[in-house]
Amino acid sequence: MTLETPPTTPHALDALYADRAIAVVRVPVIPDPVELCRALAAGGIRSVEFTFTTPGVEALIRAAADAIGDHGAVIGAGTVVDRDTAQRAVDSGAQFLVTPGLSEEVAEVATAAGIPFLLGAMTPSEVMRAASLGSHAVKIFPAAAMGSGFLKDLKGPFPGLRLVPSGGLHAGNAREYIQAGAAAVTAGSSVVGAADVAAADWAGVTERATAFTTAALLP
């Protein structure tokens, strides 16, 4: 891809760009990944990223991906850091990959598998490198540490790139990042909390997902 023109939107990221939100699930226990995806989709967040920091994540990705027709979500793998985790994610049925930082290995595996990926970056140089590696969107992490003004500044030299801020976003500040030019915003623990997931409080997850998307996207 070039710095002026984003790549053609892969089908797996259509929901991300349409909803302008993605949920990152970073919790130690997920009793029912399918119901979790259904709860998030009901709240307006259809793109769900299960991270490799969760024990047994490959089985969770597989279960959610196999039941995709039942919940309407798009299942991705996050905290993908090297060739091994990337391949394991692909083999588990992940429809997109997300990294915390730059990884040529992950880009190579995803490209070979024909699935989209979002490489993590922070500095302008890292954003440029992510783009050159074919990242379909660039994850800006940790976003809240720098603020929405930093994202707006990044959009200046890179107006054609899709930037997705992650880390520290919630219903109270997500709209700032959309206004700063984010292609989508990331909902983390403020929407998908460890206690709620462990307790299977799916109604609560839906309520918080709705609050997040409503706050982020209201004009």
Side-chain angles (χ1 to χ4, degrees):
M1 64 179 285
T2 68
L3 296 184
E4 292 78 24
T5 306
T8 301
T9 304
H11 175 72
L13 296 185
D14 285 352
L16 172 65
Y17 299 140
D19 297 344
R20 305 195 73 182
I22 178 174
V24 176
V25 184
R26 192 181 302 282
V27 297
V29 178
I30 304 175
D32 192 334
V34 175
E35 286 299 324
L36 172 58
C37 290
R38 184 177 288 116
L40 287 166
I45 305 178
R46 291 174 292 168
S47 298
V48 183
E49 174 189 335
F50 290 100
T51 69
F52 268 86
T53 53
T54 298
V57 69
E58 291 158 88
L60 300 172
I61 292 172
R62 171 55 63 194
D66 285 348
I68 189 169
D70 296 332
H71 51 57
V74 181
I75 310 303
T79 319
V80 182
V81 297
D82 53 26
R83 187 179 305 278
D84 176 63
T85 49
Q87 192 59 58
R88 286 159 55 195
V90 170
D91 293 343
S92 299
Q95 296 166 279
F96 62 90
L97 306 183
V98 185
T99 72
L102 292 175
S103 173
E104 293 186 21
E105 292 185 352
V106 173
E108 290 172 359
V109 172
T111 299
I115 65 174
F117 56 96
L118 291 78
L119 296 180
M122 174 55 71
T123 68
S125 294
E126 291 174 343
V127 171
M128 290 173 65
R129 182 58 178 154
S132 71
L133 290 171
S135 192
H136 296 86
V138 181
K139 170 183 169 179
I140 304 301
F141 175 81
M146 301 299 288
S148 60
F150 178 74
L151 186 82
K152 183 177 181 179
D153 288 342
L154 281 179
K155 287 293 291 185
F158 309 125
L161 293 187
R162 296 185 178 101
L163 304 181
V164 180
S166 179
L169 274 66
H170 49 76
N173 66 7
R175 186 183 177 198
E176 299 173 15
Y177 291 87
I178 291 292
Q179 292 176 326
V185 285
T186 303
S189 59
S190 67
V191 171
V192 191
D196 295 328
V197 175
D201 181 10
W202 309 131
V205 171
T206 296
E207 180 180 355
R208 278 179 286 282
T210 300
F212 179 88
T213 55
T214 299
L217 303 179
L218 275 179

